[in-house]
Amino acid sequence: MGKLHQRFLEDRQMRDTARTILMADIAHARTSLSARGVADRIGGRIGDGAKDVFEVAKTHSDDNRGIIAALIGAVLLWLAREPILEILGLSQEAENLDDEPADEPETGHSEDGNENAAKAANETQSEDISAKAEPLPPGDDDEQ
């Protein structure tokens, strides 16, 4: 019985050691999870990633200052294009105002809310178009 009892005591000691390690790991996980919420951890990871991207951009910007200056200048010119075009007299809005026809076609709704007048105008236009179109005589379909 001595050999069996000795093995029992060794196994019990290993079990107790493993349990102590497991309980320490669980306690550590609880403290780390309760100290910071999920949102804080995700925000921290995103922040760390943004810092890494910023550092990479900073190192590349030191090497390519001319390209970055040209890019910033192009963006500023694009944002200020309307005032610049107005100063030069090339504004598209001014050209569009000059090109607009005096009478605009009706869209089916009159400005004063009288829809019957608009419908009558549309019907008159439809009748004018159908009166101008002449039907083809029978047998002319083959010649075309």
Side-chain angles (χ1 to χ4, degrees), residues 45-63:
R45 288 181 184 167
I46 291 173
D48 293 341
K51 287 177 187 176
D52 293 341
V53 169
F54 179 71
E55 289 175 7
V56 169
K58 187 177 177 183
T59 58
H60 286 293
S61 68
D62 290 339
D63 298 337

Side-chain angles (χ1 to χ4, degrees), residues 77-97:
L77 283 174
W78 176 256
L79 294 175
R81 70 186 181 278
E82 291 180 15
I84 293 171
L85 289 175
E86 286 178 9
I87 291 171
L88 296 175
L90 301 173
S91 176
Q92 290 181 351
E93 293 176 2
E95 291 176 8
N96 289 342
L97 292 175

Side-chain angles (χ1 to χ4, degrees), residues 106-118:
E106 295 186 18
T107 60
H109 300 287
S110 62
E111 291 180 11
D112 61 353
N114 190 355
E115 293 183 14
N116 292 333

Side-chain angles (χ1 to χ4, degrees), residues 95-105:
E95 291 176 8
N96 289 342
L97 292 175
D98 294 338
D99 294 341
E100 288 183 10
D103 297 329
E104 293 190 17

